[in-house]
Amino acid sequence: QVQLVESGGDLVQPGGSLRLSCAASGFTFGDYHMTWFRQAPGKERELVAAIGNLKISLRYADSVRGRFTISRDNTKNMVYLEMNNLKPEDTARYYCKPARKWSEIATMKNSEDWGHGTQVTVSS
């Protein structure tokens, strides 16, 4: 039973920071790449960041590169997304999701099996 529990979302002011956490269970965490996606009302789901199973490979959306940092702790089955200098455009619900192959990340946004996510709202 794969279980992903996202947390850390909040209401923050522009320029603020948040750290999202994702606790994973039900699969061999160290064998999977991990991703963060987000979806705002009226917009399609988009990939925010991805990290390889052994932390060698990294990928960021152009809109967040330099502001967000994805990381993971394979001893704790946790993946994180540190978000700095937040902008109103970052407002969305954020989801974590594993990937068995790096190549499948490009099409994961079309998947139907998403968890509960955590809401990030950036507003003054």
Side-chain angles (χ1 to χ4, degrees):
Q1 179 77 27
V2 174
Q3 188 168 12
L4 304 164
V5 181
E6 300 97 338
S7 63
D10 206 349
L11 170 65
V12 297
Q13 298 183 45
S17 299
L18 283 174
R19 189 181 80 159
L20 307 184
S21 298
C22 174
S25 62
F27 62 100
T28 306
F29 184 78
D31 289 344
Y32 285 78
H33 313 302
M34 293 299 297
T35 68
W36 285 98
F37 284 78
R38 68 185 181 187
Q39 187 170 31
K43 297 183 178 180
E44 66 179 2
R45 201 186 320 274
E46 65 173 337
L47 176 69
V48 177
I51 185 168
N53 66 314
L54 298 179
K55 302 188 287 185
I56 297 172
S57 298
L58 294 169
R59 181 178 176 181
Y60 293 98
D62 290 343
S63 59
V64 309
R65 187 175 293 108
R67 299 188 297 119
F68 291 12
T69 302
I70 187 171
S71 62
R72 66 190 294 165
D73 186 339
N74 286 359
T75 69
K76 298 180 179 179
N77 288 11
M78 296 285 292
V79 60
Y80 308 96
L81 185 68
E82 182 181 353
M83 306 184 295
N84 299 310
N85 192 24
L86 283 160
K87 303 176 179 180
E89 303 84 69
D90 297 317
T91 296
R93 195 161 191 88
Y94 285 70
Y95 305 85
C96 66
K97 194 173 183 66
R100 189 68 179 90
K101 300 195 303 181
W102 195 254
S103 59
E104 79 180 52
I105 295 174
T107 56
M108 285 173 58
K109 64 180 181 180
N110 300 316
S111 176
E112 298 293 336
D113 58 334
W114 299 92
H116 200 266
T118 186
Q119 179 68 37
V120 173
T121 302
V122 185
S123 177
S124 59

